[in-house]
Amino acid sequence: MMKIKRINHIAIVVDDFESALTFWRDALGLEIQKVEEVPEQQVSIAFIPLGETEIELVKPTANDSGIYKYLQKHGPGMHHICLEVEDIEAVLASLRAKHIRLVDEEPLISKGGMKYAFIHPKSTHGVLVELYEQPTI
Amino acid sequence: MMKIKRINHIAIVVDDFESALTFWRDALGLEIQKVEEVPEQQVSIAFIPLGETEIELVKPTANDSGIYKYLQKHGPGMHHICLEVEDIEAVLASLRAKHIRLVDEEPLISKGGMKYAFIHPKSTHGVLVELYEQPTI
């Protein structure tokens, strides 16, 4: 039985942190935990914890990245939902068996050791969904 | 000090529950808590609890509703984020004082007695944000 634990984060694409933070930080009073460069994804991310989940503001750092092209086409807004799972390999295997189209057939591994993979919106009825497994300590 | 408690739900617009549930229910194994008609918003909603938040699949029930037009224009996908707050009137007053543009100047009240109001995406850098206050028992 697959275990989907929680929404790990909602990713929002922005072209400019300061404009977006005018709302999330200045108007709502939420706190930014950190801002981090993620070179392998060609983005910079501002993390805003909210209860057991997070708002992540994602800003492209390269003009040829997928996220930059998304921003050019759609403008700033919600980009994907990330679901935290217990065993990402098992979840991916189960999704494959159900003919769900995956962007990443195998989990990618971030420099922090977390495993993640994206599911194709064609198989989710229009939503880009990321799966994420917390690194074991 | 405003209190934003948690993400109450992520709303996803769908044109057809069964196609969307092929992913959320059948592939991921998540449970639908209930499906409810909300005539005042001209939608039907499938509620899928996930940790302390919820995925809400929102299907228009009238061809002249805002959500139907949104679906026609953008296709199925993420529609808005709903933040649960402690005192919605105080939050709206604070947002007004900071010149944040509101869709609803005063909270709307659902038939279940919950108060909610939408913030205009022009003031959030592209995201439709709903505020929600749990009814007091």
Side-chain angles (χ1 to χ4, degrees), chain A residues 52-124:
Chain A
E52 68 173 21
T53 180
E54 266 178 353
I55 305 278
E56 291 189 7
L57 305 180
V58 180
K59 192 183 71 151
T61 51
N63 288 0
D64 55 351
S65 64
I67 203 104
Y68 178 81
K69 286 172 198 154
Y70 182 94
L71 182 62
Q72 291 306 105
K73 190 170 170 192
H74 300 279
M78 284 186 280
H79 183 260
H80 69 264
I81 301 182
C82 175
L83 306 178
E84 193 171 320
V85 300
E86 211 161 77
D87 177 348
I88 194 168
E89 278 90 353
V91 174
L92 291 174
S94 164
L95 293 177
R96 261 194 303 271
K98 287 165 183 155
H99 308 292
I100 298 292
R101 189 169 152 194
L102 304 173
V103 176
D104 307 302
E105 289 289 330
E106 297 298 330
L108 306 172
I109 298 178
S110 77
K111 67 178 180 188
M114 72 163 216
K115 297 177 184 174
Y116 64 99
F118 282 89
I119 303 170
H120 200 286
K122 287 260 182 232
S123 284
T124 66

Side-chain angles (χ1 to χ4, degrees), chain B residues 55-74:
Chain B
I55 305 278
E56 291 189 8
L57 304 180
V58 180
K59 191 183 71 149
T61 51
N63 288 1
D64 55 352
S65 63
I67 203 104
Y68 177 81
K69 286 172 198 154
Y70 182 94
L71 182 62
Q72 291 306 107
K73 190 170 170 193
H74 301 278

Side-chain angles (χ1 to χ4, degrees), chain B residues 1-132:
Chain B
M1 179 59 200
M2 283 196 298
K3 181 90 188 277
I4 314 290
K5 296 162 82 174
R6 59 186 176 113
I7 295 178
N8 179 272
H9 64 263
I10 312 294
I12 295 170
V13 183
V14 303
D15 45 16
D16 166 32
F17 279 142
E18 276 314 306
S19 308
L21 289 173
T22 302
F23 177 67
W24 297 99
R25 179 192 58 201
D26 304 339
L28 288 185
L30 294 173
E31 241 172 76
I32 306 160
Q33 186 189 42
K34 60 181 173 179
V35 177
E36 218 173 68
E37 291 273 334
V38 187
E40 69 267 30
Q41 288 178 48
Q42 301 182 297
V43 296
S44 180
I45 304 178
F47 295 84
I48 305 173
L50 186 43
E52 67 173 23
T53 180
E54 266 179 354
I55 305 278
E56 291 189 8
L57 304 180
V58 180
K59 191 183 71 149
T61 51
N63 288 1
D64 55 352
S65 63
I67 203 104
Y68 177 81
K69 286 172 198 154
Y70 182 94
L71 182 62
Q72 291 306 107
K73 190 170 170 193
H74 301 278
M78 284 186 280
H79 184 259
H80 68 264
I81 302 182
C82 175
L83 306 178
E84 194 172 319
V85 300
E86 212 162 75
D87 177 348
I88 194 169
E89 278 90 354
V91 175
L92 290 174
S94 164
L95 293 177
R96 261 194 304 269
K98 286 164 183 156
H99 308 292
I100 297 294
R101 188 167 152 194
L102 304 173
V103 175
D104 307 303
E105 289 289 332
E106 297 298 330
L108 306 171
I109 298 179
S110 76
K111 67 178 182 192
M114 72 163 217
K115 297 176 185 175
Y116 63 100
F118 282 90
I119 304 170
H120 199 286
K122 286 261 182 231
S123 284
T124 66
H125 200 68
V127 180
L128 182 60
V129 175
E130 180 184 3
L131 300 173
Y132 163 91

Side-chain angles (χ1 to χ4, degrees), chain A residues 17-18 21 25 31-38 43-49 57-59 61 111:
Chain A
F17 279 143
E18 276 313 306
L21 290 173
R25 179 192 58 200
E31 242 172 76
I32 306 161
Q33 187 189 41
K34 60 181 173 178
V35 177
E36 217 173 69
E37 291 273 335
V38 186
V43 296
S44 180
I45 304 179
F47 295 83
I48 304 173
L57 305 180
V58 180
K59 192 183 71 151
T61 51
K111 67 178 180 188

